[in-house]
Amino acid sequence: MDNINSNTDNGTTEESNLRMPERHHRRQKERGKFFLLRNILNIIFIIGAIVGMLVYFFQNEGAGTVIVLGAMAFKMCECVIRLVK
């Protein structure tokens, strides 16, 4: 029990050493050169997924599945661009 509150060599307590590490986030100004392309691919994915779900539930299950899979291809492209960057 005394070890928790005891001073270490540098004069700080062990409790102060257990705090959360500082996080360094990118600034909003640093959008990158693929920011617009990634946004366009995400918009295509969202629209394709919504249309595919509507077609799947209200028209034809096979066609809806193909549309959703096509939309997922756009999302995979966006993820590859994000990871390669």
Side-chain angles (χ1 to χ4, degrees):
M1 202 64 138
D2 291 334
N3 289 340
I4 293 175
N5 294 326
S6 66
N7 289 341
T8 58
D9 292 338
N10 60 5
T12 60
T13 63
E14 289 182 26
E15 290 176 355
S16 65
N17 292 334
L18 299 176
R19 61 188 165 149
M20 295 293 291
E22 293 183 26
R23 298 181 187 244
H24 302 284
H25 298 282
R26 264 189 271 160
R27 295 180 192 157
Q28 292 293 332
K29 295 178 182 177
E30 297 178 20
R31 292 183 170 182
K33 57 185 175 181
F34 295 114
F35 181 75
L36 182 61
L37 177 63
R38 286 181 48 216
N39 278 344
I40 292 170
L41 290 173
N42 276 327
I43 291 169
I44 292 171
F45 164 70
I46 291 169
I47 292 171
I50 291 170
V51 169
M53 288 175 44
L54 291 174
V55 169
Y56 181 86
F57 287 116
F58 296 113
Q59 296 291 322
N60 184 354
E61 290 181 5
T65 302
V66 170
I67 294 171
V68 170
L69 289 174
M72 287 175 59
F74 285 100
K75 186 61 178 178
M76 284 187 263
C77 292
E78 188 270 333
C79 288
V80 167
I81 292 171
R82 184 175 3 138
L83 292 175
V84 170
K85 178 179 98 169

